[in-house]
Amino acid sequence: MNNLDQPLYTDYPEFEFEYANIKEPKTLPPDKQTLLIGLDKRKMDGAPITYITGFVGRRIDLIKVEEELKGVCHTCSSSKMYDIVLKGDVHKRAYIYLRNNGYKVKFAEN
């Protein structure tokens, strides 16, 4: 295992390989970001999830926004490659919170 630059293969769909030398974009101020909020049903059990896409910035800042949304919406959450996923139908709460923090927010067309 001396050579860590070899490719890693997996069939796990939610696997995210993080590279140490990827340059992350600088986080834009909230008034210059347009976020898209959508509601979707899970493929397996049909439970609703709320997703938020369109965040431009560093991963640390995305995780900070995700934790704040998790507290406001009283639900579980996760973030995947600049997307936030909230469990349940909480898109209205997320919309109000993000608008109050200065983000431009739109609802996704389903």
Side-chain angles (χ1 to χ4, degrees):
M1 290 297 296
N2 291 347
N3 190 359
L4 295 177
D5 291 333
Q6 292 180 350
L8 176 69
Y9 298 100
T10 181
D11 59 353
Y12 186 65
E14 296 181 12
F15 179 78
E16 294 179 21
F17 189 79
E18 304 230 358
Y19 296 95
N21 53 2
I22 287 182
K23 303 269 190 218
E24 291 183 325
K26 291 186 179 182
T27 304
L28 295 176
D31 59 340
K32 298 198 178 194
Q33 293 199 36
T34 302
L35 302 179
L36 190 66
I37 297 179
L39 186 64
D40 196 9
K41 293 205 178 224
R42 290 189 182 173
K43 306 275 188 227
M44 302 291 272
D45 58 359
I49 59 169
T50 302
Y51 62 90
I52 301 166
T53 61
F55 185 83
V56 178
R58 296 182 342 186
R59 188 130 168 96
I60 286 274
D61 298 329
L62 175 74
I63 292 172
K64 195 181 304 181
V65 171
E66 174 205 340
E67 288 176 358
E68 292 171 359
L69 276 170
K70 183 166 75 169
V72 168
C73 296
H74 307 290
T75 186
C76 302
S77 67
S78 67
S79 61
K80 296 191 229 177
M81 296 304 290
Y82 302 107
D83 293 340
I84 298 173
V85 178
L86 300 168
K87 183 179 177 184
D89 184 4
V90 291
H91 66 282
K92 291 179 183 174
R93 285 184 191 172
Y95 178 84
I96 291 169
Y97 172 77
L98 291 170
R99 288 289 291 201
N100 288 342
N101 283 345
Y103 291 95
K104 296 176 188 171
V105 185
K106 295 180 182 178
F107 285 113
E109 301 282 328
N110 285 342

